[in-house]
Amino acid sequence: MDEQPRLMHSHGVGMAGHPGLGQHMPDGTEGEGRKQDIGDILQQIMTITDQSLDEAQARKHALNCHRMKPALFNVLCEIKEKTVLSIRGAQEEEPPDPQLMRLDNMLLAEGVSGPEKGGGSAAAAAAAAAAGGAGADNSAEHSDYRAKLSQIRQIYHTELEKYEQACNEFTTHVMNLLREQSRTRPISPKEIERMVGIIHRKFSSIQMQLKQSTCEAVMILRSRFLDARRKRRNFNKQATEILNEYFYSHLSNPYPSEEAKEELAKKCSITVSQVRSLNNKTTTSNSVSNWFGNKRIRYKKNIGKFQEEANMYAARTAVTAASASAQGSQANSPSTPNSAGSAASFNMSNSGDLFMSVQSLNGDSYQGAQVGANIQSQVDTLRHVISQAGGYSDSLAASQIYSPQGINANGGWQDAPTPSSVTSPTEGPGSVHSDTSN
DNA sequence: AAGAATGATTGCCA
DNA sequence: TGGCAATCATTCTT
């Protein structure tokens, strides 16, 4: 270009330095001639947009070189200055949008806009903590959550970068345009600033939309993740069997201790998800607790339905117990359950005990804590064996065969086992009963 | 598809 | 705080 842009600050306002314009013209004819000249220039300016680009460029150049141009330009500058003064008040800096701040905060909290990676996993961990589950089984879901979150994060950053780049490009473009235009019309730095501000506002509103949809995506992901805790997956067969074995071998007192629950959870590889109380000290046995809670209630509600199952498990554990006790002591015959009342045979051949020692990786430590329960479970097992053998003759006893052992009149499990001496045709494991009554 | 089974959740109580 | 009862929501079975 052969000329410098004429930004307003580089010009004096007024007519100084431009003789012939703004000065009093005593000679009327000279004034008429100039008026026509100016009118001609203005006409050319007005029609410049109707011409082809090349034509316009040529005309523009001609106008720029016109002797009247500097004077007219100064007039424009003067008018413009007044306009800018009137506009100035209108462009107040608005305070930061509260909604945008909320979105920013949320994105930061969710680890989307925060520092790399760490934020994401922290948010995932937070979500996991909110869900209350920290078990190994949840790791798959966690990684799924993390993967999805980082996907969102990546998209967000890519888009944001794109927007920023576009914004910069557009700003540069507009600046160039303005600079270009400043050759033919006066443009103040404030005007440019204002234009840039408008562009940035436009782009930030687009960014806000991006942030909003990102937030929505995160919320959806999060709610799905949190809702996953409610998604039920049936325990596998082995886990159910383990729990059932424990339940039926402790039928008169199916309330596993915390340690037992932990142990069962470990054995069953039960997934843990607990939301009931965030202050719960342990979450590793809650599924077991759920299972036992459900089982107790459902068993109690419909004993008949569970009787077959109860008998099956009782028989199974009894067989196990019998074979074990047969190995351990020749005196104990499987067909004489009451003989199992001896403490010696309970010690190792007890169904619950055996179950634990077979299943547990460190059954020994568990056994030590379960001596009382072991005896009780032996009683329970034996009762079922007796029931199956059909050893009851009287109708009262018969009705008790498939009755919930240990359930009292109120429908709750009593601490002491059912008085087996009443139902048992044999002498009954009185010693066992007394052992377990506490 | 309907109903049963089942794991999880919630509110209440002792 | 643990357990019960009711209920929800999903999965399994028929």
Side-chain angles (χ1 to χ4, degrees), chain A residues 105-311:
Chain A
N105 285 341
M106 190 193 153
L107 290 172
L108 202 64
E110 292 296 331
V112 176
S113 63
E116 194 61 37
K117 283 294 166 194
S121 55
D137 60 286
N138 278 355
S139 61
E141 283 168 20
H142 288 188
S143 61
D144 195 34
Y145 178 86
R146 271 198 294 273
K148 293 251 165 62
L149 191 70
S150 79
Q151 218 175 326
I152 290 172
R153 185 190 160 90
Q154 197 180 345
I155 291 167
Y156 171 76
H157 281 288
T158 315
E159 290 297 308
L160 203 64
E161 209 171 307
K162 263 194 232 166
Y163 285 164
E164 271 165 14
Q165 200 181 336
C167 182
N168 287 337
E169 272 175 20
F170 192 69
T171 307
T172 315
H173 178 72
V174 168
M175 295 269 276
N176 287 338
L177 216 62
L178 287 173
R179 223 170 267 136
E180 171 72 18
Q181 285 192 6
S182 71
R183 293 200 185 98
T184 50
R185 68 184 182 97
I187 293 167
S188 70
K190 269 217 154 52
E191 207 179 341
I192 296 173
E193 204 178 296
R194 207 172 113 248
M195 192 62 84
V196 169
I198 289 168
I199 293 166
H200 282 184
R201 269 199 294 281
K202 278 283 169 205
F203 271 90
S204 74
S205 81
I206 296 170
Q207 272 189 15
M208 194 157 98
Q209 282 175 22
L210 170 70
K211 283 173 181 175
Q212 197 155 8
S213 30
T214 306
C215 279
E216 276 168 20
V218 171
M219 290 311 282
I220 289 166
L221 174 67
R222 216 186 149 121
S223 70
R224 273 189 194 158
F225 177 76
L226 292 178
D227 282 353
R229 73 194 174 187
R230 204 181 171 90
K231 270 192 180 166
R232 189 173 64 73
R233 230 172 281 157
N234 285 2
F235 297 159
N236 62 36
K237 208 177 167 189
Q238 197 194 357
T240 312
E241 288 202 354
I242 289 168
L243 293 168
N244 271 320
E245 277 195 57
Y246 188 95
F247 180 81
Y248 288 113
S249 62
H250 297 76
L251 200 51
S252 63
N253 189 34
Y255 298 87
S257 63
E258 281 302 311
E259 297 83 51
K261 285 181 196 170
E262 297 266 357
E263 197 74 19
L264 285 165
K266 250 191 248 172
K267 284 186 224 311
C268 302
S269 312
I270 277 176
T271 65
V272 175
S273 62
Q274 157 72 8
V275 191
R276 182 189 170 91
S277 168
L278 291 173
N279 295 328
N280 255 4
K281 62 176 165 54
T282 171
T283 58
T284 53
S285 61
N286 285 309
S287 280
V288 176
S289 296
N290 284 343
W291 191 91
F292 274 91
N294 284 326
K295 190 74 182 180
R296 279 193 298 265
I297 284 176
R298 284 162 187 167
Y299 179 85
K300 205 164 72 180
K301 262 188 179 172
N302 195 348
I303 299 148
K305 199 177 74 184
F306 288 95
Q307 205 54 55
E308 203 177 325
E309 186 181 74
N311 291 336

Side-chain angles (χ1 to χ4, degrees), chain A residues 15-67:
Chain A
M15 304 294 120
H18 295 282
L21 248 181
Q23 287 173 347
H24 179 63
M25 306 291 172
D27 187 349
T29 52
E30 196 188 348
E32 278 300 312
R34 285 194 180 159
K35 263 185 202 165
Q36 198 179 346
D37 205 4
I38 292 166
D40 188 36
I41 292 168
L42 287 174
Q43 184 61 34
Q44 285 184 39
I45 292 169
M46 295 298 279
T47 56
I48 202 165
T49 51
D50 297 333
Q51 295 159 347
S52 73
L53 214 59
D54 286 342
E55 265 182 315
Q57 283 292 345
R59 184 63 60 87
K60 236 167 75 181
H61 184 71
L63 281 168
N64 273 328
C65 298
H66 198 279
R67 63 189 176 89

